[in-house]
Amino acid sequence: MLYEPYQIKNLVLKNRVVMPPMCMYSANTLGFANDFHFVHYATRAIGGVGLIIQEATATLPNGRISVNDLGIWSDDHIAGLKKIVDGIHSNGSVAGIQINHAGRKAKVERPIGPSAVSYSDDYQLPAEMTLEEIEEVVLSFKEAARRADQAGYDLLEIHGAHGYLIFQFLSPISNLRTDKYKDGKVFLKEVVEAIVEVWPKEKVLALRVSGTEYVEGGVTPVTISEAINSVKDLGIDIIDVSSGGNVLVKINAFPGYQLELAKQVSELTGLPVMGGGLITDLRLADHAVASKKCDLVYLGRLLLRDPYVVINQASEMGVVIPYPVQYLRGKKA
Ligand SMILES: Cc1cc2nc3c(=O)[nH]c(=O)nc-3n(C[C@H](O)[C@H](O)[C@H](O)COP(=O)(O)O)c2cc1C
């Protein structure tokens, strides 16, 4: 089933494999894409990945995880991003982008967050966001969505996972506010409402979440699904289910460790889901789809070390798919 097409709205993926967003910290300090990004993403498209979601791309300079994050806070970024999109499209894949504000996890002079609570001793204490700052960030997501559309992306993923700003609002561990934003769903809703004003209805809108924080008092599959349900009718098409990232805690990770979470979130929200985690064998990915744990499977680190795993493992699994003609003489017998 992994190699069967998947349709969502008018978007057809040629298979169920997703390259999830993975920060490469390789942009210049102004957030511009360069040759590394053009080659990196086009290579995974040549390698047969159905959907490629570009790494967390910052909606504001103070929302960067590092000074080398890709940026989408200026119209000047659009041309470089369009080149990434074109490289993905011309090699037969579908292009997504994850937009992010890192909040208290931003490595900047003055990080901001819902409350003055730091992530760990290695991170600065964030300033509690003023209402003006909240408004500015919400607007930055809207502007980022408009630019992503102009650059030609087929799918927009809102980063609501891993302890970045949206998740910081959703978690009772990082959100100690007493105003209306004490309910983190209010901030999420404002972000989604702003985005759908400009992100075309016919294109796909995804939301990435952490389905659990692995600690008492943190977000659970039930509470995160409530948050999803509070915005899904605004136009969320699919949920990308991950976990952790808001609290320093040891995670017991094993091949497919987040698949059950994906299934739970799908059952509680009625939305299609992407799932994965430590998958190194496409037979496990195939089983995840066949056993309805998730609709799409992401392969992160596997695709970093082996961009051609999708086309190469196909024949081992008895699946016939087109092989890049340029590489036919290198195909395993
Ligand atoms: C180098 C690296 C960078 C990552 N950057 C992001 C990111 O920008 N956004 C995000 O949501 N997840 C990020 N992740 C998490 C991956 O998207 C993925 O969920 C995680 O690696 C688990 O999948 P895997 O076990 O198949 O690698 C990153 C992971 C890695 C290894």
Side-chain angles (χ1 to χ4, degrees), residues 132-165:
E132 290 72 34
E133 282 170 333
I134 289 179
E135 207 176 308
E136 190 196 350
V137 171
V138 169
L139 181 64
S140 78
F141 272 97
K142 177 178 175 178
E143 287 293 282
R146 174 183 61 76
R147 294 182 188 114
D149 177 41
Q150 276 178 262
Y153 292 96
D154 310 292
L155 175 147
L156 183 76
E157 180 171 283
I158 304 166
H159 200 347
H162 301 165
Y164 294 112
L165 187 61

PDB file of all heavy atoms in Angstrom, residues 132-165:
ATOM      1  N   GLU A 132       0.575  43.046  21.739  1.00  0.00           N
ATOM      2  CA  GLU A 132       1.070  43.538  20.440  1.00  0.00           C
ATOM      3  C   GLU A 132       1.989  42.487  19.818  1.00  0.00           C
ATOM      4  O   GLU A 132       1.945  42.246  18.612  1.00  0.00           O
ATOM      5  CB  GLU A 132       1.860  44.855  20.599  1.00  0.00           C
ATOM      6  CG  GLU A 132       1.031  46.072  20.975  1.00  0.00           C
ATOM      7  CD  GLU A 132       0.527  46.039  22.423  1.00  0.00           C
ATOM      8  OE1 GLU A 132       1.262  45.515  23.305  1.00  0.00           O
ATOM      9  OE2 GLU A 132      -0.597  46.492  22.670  1.00  0.00           O
ATOM     10  N   GLU A 133       2.816  41.855  20.631  1.00  0.00           N
ATOM     11  CA  GLU A 133       3.718  40.829  20.097  1.00  0.00           C
ATOM     12  C   GLU A 133       2.944  39.612  19.592  1.00  0.00           C
ATOM     13  O   GLU A 133       3.284  39.022  18.568  1.00  0.00           O
ATOM     14  CB  GLU A 133       4.742  40.415  21.168  1.00  0.00           C
ATOM     15  CG  GLU A 133       5.867  41.441  21.311  1.00  0.00           C
ATOM     16  CD  GLU A 133       6.758  41.204  22.521  1.00  0.00           C
ATOM     17  OE1 GLU A 133       6.304  40.620  23.528  1.00  0.00           O
ATOM     18  OE2 GLU A 133       7.928  41.634  22.462  1.00  0.00           O
ATOM     19  N   ILE A 134       1.880  39.281  20.294  1.00  0.00           N
ATOM     20  CA  ILE A 134       1.047  38.155  19.843  1.00  0.00           C
ATOM     21  C   ILE A 134       0.448  38.494  18.475  1.00  0.00           C
ATOM     22  O   ILE A 134       0.491  37.701  17.532  1.00  0.00           O
ATOM     23  CB  ILE A 134      -0.055  37.837  20.880  1.00  0.00           C
ATOM     24  CG1 ILE A 134       0.593  37.217  22.124  1.00  0.00           C
ATOM     25  CG2 ILE A 134      -1.111  36.909  20.289  1.00  0.00           C
ATOM     26  CD1 ILE A 134      -0.368  36.862  23.247  1.00  0.00           C
ATOM     27  N   GLU A 135      -0.062  39.713  18.367  1.00  0.00           N
ATOM     28  CA  GLU A 135      -0.663  40.149  17.106  1.00  0.00           C
ATOM     29  C   GLU A 135       0.365  40.121  15.970  1.00  0.00           C
ATOM     30  O   GLU A 135       0.067  39.689  14.853  1.00  0.00           O
ATOM     31  CB  GLU A 135      -1.180  41.574  17.302  1.00  0.00           C
ATOM     32  CG  GLU A 135      -2.341  41.943  16.413  1.00  0.00           C
ATOM     33  CD  GLU A 135      -2.842  43.346  16.760  1.00  0.00           C
ATOM     34  OE1 GLU A 135      -3.115  43.610  17.953  1.00  0.00           O
ATOM     35  OE2 GLU A 135      -2.921  44.162  15.850  1.00  0.00           O
ATOM     36  N   GLU A 136       1.574  40.552  16.298  1.00  0.00           N
ATOM     37  CA  GLU A 136       2.637  40.592  15.284  1.00  0.00           C
ATOM     38  C   GLU A 136       2.984  39.178  14.794  1.00  0.00           C
ATOM     39  O   GLU A 136       3.164  38.937  13.601  1.00  0.00           O
ATOM     40  CB  GLU A 136       3.882  41.251  15.903  1.00  0.00           C
ATOM     41  CG  GLU A 136       4.969  41.565  14.905  1.00  0.00           C
ATOM     42  CD  GLU A 136       6.323  41.845  15.569  1.00  0.00           C
ATOM     43  OE1 GLU A 136       6.388  41.975  16.803  1.00  0.00           O
ATOM     44  OE2 GLU A 136       7.315  41.899  14.842  1.00  0.00           O
ATOM     45  N   VAL A 137       3.033  38.224  15.719  1.00  0.00           N
ATOM     46  CA  VAL A 137       3.368  36.855  15.329  1.00  0.00           C
ATOM     47  C   VAL A 137       2.233  36.242  14.496  1.00  0.00           C
ATOM     48  O   VAL A 137       2.475  35.575  13.485  1.00  0.00           O
ATOM     49  CB  VAL A 137       3.685  35.983  16.563  1.00  0.00           C
ATOM     50  CG1 VAL A 137       3.817  34.521  16.169  1.00  0.00           C
ATOM     51  CG2 VAL A 137       4.971  36.457  17.234  1.00  0.00           C
ATOM     52  N   VAL A 138       1.002  36.497  14.907  1.00  0.00           N
ATOM     53  CA  VAL A 138      -0.139  35.968  14.145  1.00  0.00           C
ATOM     54  C   VAL A 138      -0.074  36.501  12.711  1.00  0.00           C
ATOM     55  O   VAL A 138      -0.190  35.742  11.730  1.00  0.00           O
ATOM     56  CB  VAL A 138      -1.481  36.353  14.823  1.00  0.00           C
ATOM     57  CG1 VAL A 138      -2.655  36.049  13.904  1.00  0.00           C
ATOM     58  CG2 VAL A 138      -1.635  35.616  16.154  1.00  0.00           C
ATOM     59  N   LEU A 139       0.187  37.786  12.584  1.00  0.00           N
ATOM     60  CA  LEU A 139       0.294  38.398  11.259  1.00  0.00           C
ATOM     61  C   LEU A 139       1.465  37.786  10.474  1.00  0.00           C
ATOM     62  O   LEU A 139       1.374  37.586   9.257  1.00  0.00           O
ATOM     63  CB  LEU A 139       0.472  39.915  11.406  1.00  0.00           C
ATOM     64  CG  LEU A 139       0.583  40.697  10.107  1.00  0.00           C
ATOM     65  CD1 LEU A 139      -0.714  40.598   9.301  1.00  0.00           C
ATOM     66  CD2 LEU A 139       0.904  42.177  10.381  1.00  0.00           C
ATOM     67  N   SER A 140       2.536  37.444  11.173  1.00  0.00           N
ATOM     68  CA  SER A 140       3.708  36.877  10.478  1.00  0.00           C
ATOM     69  C   SER A 140       3.375  35.513   9.873  1.00  0.00           C
ATOM     70  O   SER A 140       3.886  35.146   8.816  1.00  0.00           O
ATOM     71  CB  SER A 140       4.918  36.781  11.412  1.00  0.00           C
ATOM     72  OG  SER A 140       4.822  35.677  12.300  1.00  0.00           O
ATOM     73  N   PHE A 141       2.510  34.741  10.539  1.00  0.00           N
ATOM     74  CA  PHE A 141       2.094  33.445   9.976  1.00  0.00           C
ATOM     75  C   PHE A 141       1.255  33.680   8.710  1.00  0.00           C
ATOM     76  O   PHE A 141       1.380  32.958   7.729  1.00  0.00           O
ATOM     77  CB  PHE A 141       1.298  32.637  11.009  1.00  0.00           C
ATOM     78  CG  PHE A 141       2.171  31.783  11.909  1.00  0.00           C
ATOM     79  CD1 PHE A 141       2.554  32.222  13.162  1.00  0.00           C
ATOM     80  CD2 PHE A 141       2.625  30.540  11.485  1.00  0.00           C
ATOM     81  CE1 PHE A 141       3.366  31.448  13.994  1.00  0.00           C
ATOM     82  CE2 PHE A 141       3.432  29.755  12.297  1.00  0.00           C
ATOM     83  CZ  PHE A 141       3.816  30.204  13.559  1.00  0.00           C
ATOM     84  N   LYS A 142       0.420  34.705   8.751  1.00  0.00           N
ATOM     85  CA  LYS A 142      -0.426  35.006   7.582  1.00  0.00           C
ATOM     86  C   LYS A 142       0.453  35.429   6.397  1.00  0.00           C
ATOM     87  O   LYS A 142       0.289  34.933   5.277  1.00  0.00           O
ATOM     88  CB  LYS A 142      -1.396  36.132   7.957  1.00  0.00           C
ATOM     89  CG  LYS A 142      -2.274  36.587   6.819  1.00  0.00           C
ATOM     90  CD  LYS A 142      -3.227  37.668   7.302  1.00  0.00           C
ATOM     91  CE  LYS A 142      -4.048  38.230   6.175  1.00  0.00           C
ATOM     92  NZ  LYS A 142      -5.002  39.239   6.648  1.00  0.00           N
ATOM     93  N   GLU A 143       1.401  36.313   6.675  1.00  0.00           N
ATOM     94  CA  GLU A 143       2.281  36.783   5.606  1.00  0.00           C
ATOM     95  C   GLU A 143       3.132  35.637   5.061  1.00  0.00           C
ATOM     96  O   GLU A 143       3.387  35.544   3.855  1.00  0.00           O
ATOM     97  CB  GLU A 143       3.189  37.905   6.146  1.00  0.00           C
ATOM     98  CG  GLU A 143       2.442  39.206   6.371  1.00  0.00           C
ATOM     99  CD  GLU A 143       1.980  39.819   5.062  1.00  0.00           C
ATOM    100  OE1 GLU A 143       2.792  40.424   4.355  1.00  0.00           O
ATOM    101  OE2 GLU A 143       0.784  39.630   4.730  1.00  0.00           O
ATOM    102  N   ALA A 144       3.562  34.750   5.958  1.00  0.00           N
ATOM    103  CA  ALA A 144       4.360  33.588   5.531  1.00  0.00           C
ATOM    104  C   ALA A 144       3.526  32.690   4.614  1.00  0.00           C
ATOM    105  O   ALA A 144       4.023  32.174   3.605  1.00  0.00           O
ATOM    106  CB  ALA A 144       4.840  32.813   6.751  1.00  0.00           C
ATOM    107  N   ALA A 145       2.252  32.518   4.968  1.00  0.00           N
ATOM    108  CA  ALA A 145       1.374  31.665   4.150  1.00  0.00           C
ATOM    109  C   ALA A 145       1.188  32.273   2.756  1.00  0.00           C
ATOM    110  O   ALA A 145       1.217  31.567   1.739  1.00  0.00           O
ATOM    111  CB  ALA A 145       0.027  31.494   4.846  1.00  0.00           C
ATOM    112  N   ARG A 146       1.018  33.575   2.711  1.00  0.00           N
ATOM    113  CA  ARG A 146       0.857  34.253   1.416  1.00  0.00           C
ATOM    114  C   ARG A 146       2.118  34.041   0.566  1.00  0.00           C
ATOM    115  O   ARG A 146       2.041  33.719  -0.625  1.00  0.00           O
ATOM    116  CB  ARG A 146       0.600  35.750   1.647  1.00  0.00           C
ATOM    117  CG  ARG A 146       0.549  36.576   0.372  1.00  0.00           C
ATOM    118  CD  ARG A 146       0.373  38.062   0.645  1.00  0.00           C
ATOM    119  NE  ARG A 146       1.427  38.705   1.412  1.00  0.00           N
ATOM    120  CZ  ARG A 146       2.630  39.033   0.934  1.00  0.00           C
ATOM    121  NH1 ARG A 146       2.957  38.748  -0.311  1.00  0.00           N
ATOM    122  NH2 ARG A 146       3.521  39.633   1.709  1.00  0.00           N
ATOM    123  N   ARG A 147       3.275  34.195   1.189  1.00  0.00           N
ATOM    124  CA  ARG A 147       4.536  34.030   0.440  1.00  0.00           C
ATOM    125  C   ARG A 147       4.721  32.575   0.001  1.00  0.00           C
ATOM    126  O   ARG A 147       5.212  32.315  -1.097  1.00  0.00           O
ATOM    127  CB  ARG A 147       5.728  34.479   1.304  1.00  0.00           C
ATOM    128  CG  ARG A 147       5.692  35.954   1.600  1.00  0.00           C
ATOM    129  CD  ARG A 147       6.887  36.423   2.419  1.00  0.00           C
ATOM    130  NE  ARG A 147       6.655  37.817   2.799  1.00  0.00           N
ATOM    131  CZ  ARG A 147       6.464  38.251   4.047  1.00  0.00           C
ATOM    132  NH1 ARG A 147       6.553  37.413   5.075  1.00  0.00           N
ATOM    133  NH2 ARG A 147       6.215  39.522   4.281  1.00  0.00           N
ATOM    134  N   ALA A 148       4.320  31.644   0.866  1.00  0.00           N
ATOM    135  CA  ALA A 148       4.464  30.220   0.518  1.00  0.00           C
ATOM    136  C   ALA A 148       3.607  29.907  -0.700  1.00  0.00           C
ATOM    137  O   ALA A 148       4.019  29.158  -1.597  1.00  0.00           O
ATOM    138  CB  ALA A 148       4.050  29.352   1.711  1.00  0.00           C
ATOM    139  N   ASP A 149       2.425  30.486  -0.753  1.00  0.00           N
ATOM    140  CA  ASP A 149       1.566  30.283  -1.925  1.00  0.00           C
ATOM    141  C   ASP A 149       2.236  30.870  -3.167  1.00  0.00           C
ATOM    142  O   ASP A 149       2.303  30.228  -4.217  1.00  0.00           O
ATOM    143  CB  ASP A 149       0.202  30.942  -1.670  1.00  0.00           C
ATOM    144  CG  ASP A 149      -0.697  30.833  -2.881  1.00  0.00           C
ATOM    145  OD1 ASP A 149      -0.706  29.763  -3.523  1.00  0.00           O
ATOM    146  OD2 ASP A 149      -1.377  31.830  -3.208  1.00  0.00           O
ATOM    147  N   GLN A 150       2.763  32.069  -3.018  1.00  0.00           N
ATOM    148  CA  GLN A 150       3.423  32.713  -4.162  1.00  0.00           C
ATOM    149  C   GLN A 150       4.634  31.924  -4.646  1.00  0.00           C
ATOM    150  O   GLN A 150       4.934  31.896  -5.830  1.00  0.00           O
ATOM    151  CB  GLN A 150       3.866  34.129  -3.775  1.00  0.00           C
ATOM    152  CG  GLN A 150       2.755  35.149  -3.923  1.00  0.00           C
ATOM    153  CD  GLN A 150       3.230  36.523  -3.470  1.00  0.00           C
ATOM    154  OE1 GLN A 150       2.964  36.929  -2.341  1.00  0.00           O
ATOM    155  NE2 GLN A 150       3.953  37.222  -4.311  1.00  0.00           N
ATOM    156  N   ALA A 151       5.319  31.269  -3.718  1.00  0.00           N
ATOM    157  CA  ALA A 151       6.490  30.471  -4.105  1.00  0.00           C
ATOM    158  C   ALA A 151       6.081  29.158  -4.783  1.00  0.00           C
ATOM    159  O   ALA A 151       6.919  28.483  -5.377  1.00  0.00           O
ATOM    160  CB  ALA A 151       7.359  30.187  -2.877  1.00  0.00           C
ATOM    161  N   GLY A 152       4.809  28.787  -4.652  1.00  0.00           N
ATOM    162  CA  GLY A 152       4.304  27.622  -5.387  1.00  0.00           C
ATOM    163  C   GLY A 152       4.142  26.344  -4.587  1.00  0.00           C
ATOM    164  O   GLY A 152       3.891  25.273  -5.160  1.00  0.00           O
ATOM    165  N   TYR A 153       4.275  26.414  -3.260  1.00  0.00           N
ATOM    166  CA  TYR A 153       4.109  25.193  -2.452  1.00  0.00           C
ATOM    167  C   TYR A 153       2.689  24.658  -2.589  1.00  0.00           C
ATOM    168  O   TYR A 153       1.727  25.426  -2.695  1.00  0.00           O
ATOM    169  CB  TYR A 153       4.412  25.473  -0.971  1.00  0.00           C
ATOM    170  CG  TYR A 153       5.873  25.780  -0.723  1.00  0.00           C
ATOM    171  CD1 TYR A 153       6.318  27.100  -0.660  1.00  0.00           C
ATOM    172  CD2 TYR A 153       6.805  24.760  -0.577  1.00  0.00           C
ATOM    173  CE1 TYR A 153       7.663  27.391  -0.451  1.00  0.00           C
ATOM    174  CE2 TYR A 153       8.156  25.044  -0.363  1.00  0.00           C
ATOM    175  CZ  TYR A 153       8.576  26.360  -0.303  1.00  0.00           C
ATOM    176  OH  TYR A 153       9.901  26.651  -0.104  1.00  0.00           O
ATOM    177  N   ASP A 154       2.577  23.319  -2.550  1.00  0.00           N
ATOM    178  CA  ASP A 154       1.272  22.667  -2.668  1.00  0.00           C
ATOM    179  C   ASP A 154       0.631  22.483  -1.304  1.00  0.00           C
ATOM    180  O   ASP A 154      -0.582  22.335  -1.183  1.00  0.00           O
ATOM    181  CB  ASP A 154       1.435  21.268  -3.290  1.00  0.00           C
ATOM    182  CG  ASP A 154       2.255  21.313  -4.561  1.00  0.00           C
ATOM    183  OD1 ASP A 154       1.771  21.871  -5.545  1.00  0.00           O
ATOM    184  OD2 ASP A 154       3.400  20.781  -4.562  1.00  0.00           O
ATOM    185  N   LEU A 155       1.474  22.398  -0.297  1.00  0.00           N
ATOM    186  CA  LEU A 155       1.003  22.103   1.070  1.00  0.00           C
ATOM    187  C   LEU A 155       1.718  23.026   2.047  1.00  0.00           C
ATOM    188  O   LEU A 155       2.917  23.261   1.929  1.00  0.00           O
ATOM    189  CB  LEU A 155       1.296  20.637   1.385  1.00  0.00           C
ATOM    190  CG  LEU A 155       1.007  20.106   2.798  1.00  0.00           C
ATOM    191  CD1 LEU A 155       0.578  18.636   2.723  1.00  0.00           C
ATOM    192  CD2 LEU A 155       2.216  20.234   3.726  1.00  0.00           C
ATOM    193  N   LEU A 156       0.948  23.536   3.005  1.00  0.00           N
ATOM    194  CA  LEU A 156       1.521  24.385   4.056  1.00  0.00           C
ATOM    195  C   LEU A 156       1.340  23.659   5.381  1.00  0.00           C
ATOM    196  O   LEU A 156       0.231  23.239   5.716  1.00  0.00           O
ATOM    197  CB  LEU A 156       0.769  25.719   4.103  1.00  0.00           C
ATOM    198  CG  LEU A 156       1.302  26.744   5.097  1.00  0.00           C
ATOM    199  CD1 LEU A 156       2.578  27.394   4.555  1.00  0.00           C
ATOM    200  CD2 LEU A 156       0.269  27.834   5.369  1.00  0.00           C
ATOM    201  N   GLU A 157       2.444  23.499   6.101  1.00  0.00           N
ATOM    202  CA  GLU A 157       2.340  22.851   7.417  1.00  0.00           C
ATOM    203  C   GLU A 157       2.633  23.873   8.515  1.00  0.00           C
ATOM    204  O   GLU A 157       3.703  24.492   8.534  1.00  0.00           O
ATOM    205  CB  GLU A 157       3.305  21.670   7.534  1.00  0.00           C
ATOM    206  CG  GLU A 157       3.195  20.981   8.900  1.00  0.00           C
ATOM    207  CD  GLU A 157       3.968  19.683   9.007  1.00  0.00           C
ATOM    208  OE1 GLU A 157       3.502  18.654   8.481  1.00  0.00           O
ATOM    209  OE2 GLU A 157       5.063  19.689   9.607  1.00  0.00           O
ATOM    210  N   ILE A 158       1.690  24.020   9.425  1.00  0.00           N
ATOM    211  CA  ILE A 158       1.879  24.897  10.587  1.00  0.00           C
ATOM    212  C   ILE A 158       2.617  24.076  11.643  1.00  0.00           C
ATOM    213  O   ILE A 158       2.181  22.969  11.985  1.00  0.00           O
ATOM    214  CB  ILE A 158       0.508  25.343  11.148  1.00  0.00           C
ATOM    215  CG1 ILE A 158      -0.341  26.021  10.066  1.00  0.00           C
ATOM    216  CG2 ILE A 158       0.695  26.245  12.360  1.00  0.00           C
ATOM    217  CD1 ILE A 158      -1.813  26.185  10.460  1.00  0.00           C
ATOM    218  N   HIS A 159       3.713  24.622  12.156  1.00  0.00           N
ATOM    219  CA  HIS A 159       4.471  23.872  13.174  1.00  0.00           C
ATOM    220  C   HIS A 159       3.852  24.119  14.551  1.00  0.00           C
ATOM    221  O   HIS A 159       4.081  25.135  15.187  1.00  0.00           O
ATOM    222  CB  HIS A 159       5.934  24.325  13.172  1.00  0.00           C
ATOM    223  CG  HIS A 159       6.865  23.323  13.804  1.00  0.00           C
ATOM    224  ND1 HIS A 159       6.427  22.253  14.557  1.00  0.00           N
ATOM    225  CD2 HIS A 159       8.224  23.221  13.788  1.00  0.00           C
ATOM    226  CE1 HIS A 159       7.473  21.547  14.975  1.00  0.00           C
ATOM    227  NE2 HIS A 159       8.576  22.113  14.518  1.00  0.00           N
ATOM    228  N   GLY A 160       3.086  23.129  14.960  1.00  0.00           N
ATOM    229  CA  GLY A 160       2.462  23.216  16.283  1.00  0.00           C
ATOM    230  C   GLY A 160       3.013  22.141  17.205  1.00  0.00           C
ATOM    231  O   GLY A 160       2.335  21.725  18.143  1.00  0.00           O
ATOM    232  N   ALA A 161       4.250  21.701  16.926  1.00  0.00           N
ATOM    233  CA  ALA A 161       4.836  20.582  17.703  1.00  0.00           C
ATOM    234  C   ALA A 161       6.141  20.999  18.364  1.00  0.00           C
ATOM    235  O   ALA A 161       6.553  22.160  18.324  1.00  0.00           O
ATOM    236  CB  ALA A 161       5.079  19.388  16.773  1.00  0.00           C
ATOM    237  N   HIS A 162       6.764  20.012  19.010  1.00  0.00           N
ATOM    238  CA  HIS A 162       8.170  20.077  19.456  1.00  0.00           C
ATOM    239  C   HIS A 162       8.513  21.243  20.374  1.00  0.00           C
ATOM    240  O   HIS A 162       9.663  21.677  20.419  1.00  0.00           O
ATOM    241  CB  HIS A 162       9.119  20.077  18.238  1.00  0.00           C
ATOM    242  CG  HIS A 162       8.949  18.864  17.402  1.00  0.00           C
ATOM    243  ND1 HIS A 162       9.437  18.746  16.133  1.00  0.00           N
ATOM    244  CD2 HIS A 162       8.307  17.686  17.649  1.00  0.00           C
ATOM    245  CE1 HIS A 162       9.122  17.562  15.627  1.00  0.00           C
ATOM    246  NE2 HIS A 162       8.429  16.907  16.537  1.00  0.00           N
ATOM    247  N   GLY A 163       7.512  21.794  21.044  1.00  0.00           N
ATOM    248  CA  GLY A 163       7.825  22.849  22.006  1.00  0.00           C
ATOM    249  C   GLY A 163       8.160  24.189  21.390  1.00  0.00           C
ATOM    250  O   GLY A 163       8.739  25.045  22.069  1.00  0.00           O
ATOM    251  N   TYR A 164       7.787  24.402  20.134  1.00  0.00           N
ATOM    252  CA  TYR A 164       7.940  25.741  19.559  1.00  0.00           C
ATOM    253  C   TYR A 164       6.686  26.564  19.907  1.00  0.00           C
ATOM    254  O   TYR A 164       5.787  26.082  20.591  1.00  0.00           O
ATOM    255  CB  TYR A 164       8.258  25.655  18.061  1.00  0.00           C
ATOM    256  CG  TYR A 164       9.618  25.006  17.869  1.00  0.00           C
ATOM    257  CD1 TYR A 164       9.756  23.751  17.286  1.00  0.00           C
ATOM    258  CD2 TYR A 164      10.764  25.633  18.367  1.00  0.00           C
ATOM    259  CE1 TYR A 164      11.003  23.139  17.191  1.00  0.00           C
ATOM    260  CE2 TYR A 164      12.007  25.029  18.274  1.00  0.00           C
ATOM    261  CZ  TYR A 164      12.123  23.785  17.684  1.00  0.00           C
ATOM    262  OH  TYR A 164      13.351  23.186  17.614  1.00  0.00           O
ATOM    263  N   LEU A 165       6.663  27.810  19.442  1.00  0.00           N
ATOM    264  CA  LEU A 165       5.724  28.774  20.029  1.00  0.00           C
ATOM    265  C   LEU A 165       4.268  28.297  20.131  1.00  0.00           C
ATOM    266  O   LEU A 165       3.640  28.435  21.184  1.00  0.00           O
ATOM    267  CB  LEU A 165       5.783  30.111  19.274  1.00  0.00           C
ATOM    268  CG  LEU A 165       4.963  31.219  19.933  1.00  0.00           C
ATOM    269  CD1 LEU A 165       5.441  31.526  21.339  1.00  0.00           C
ATOM    270  CD2 LEU A 165       5.007  32.487  19.094  1.00  0.00           C
TER     271      LEU A 165
END
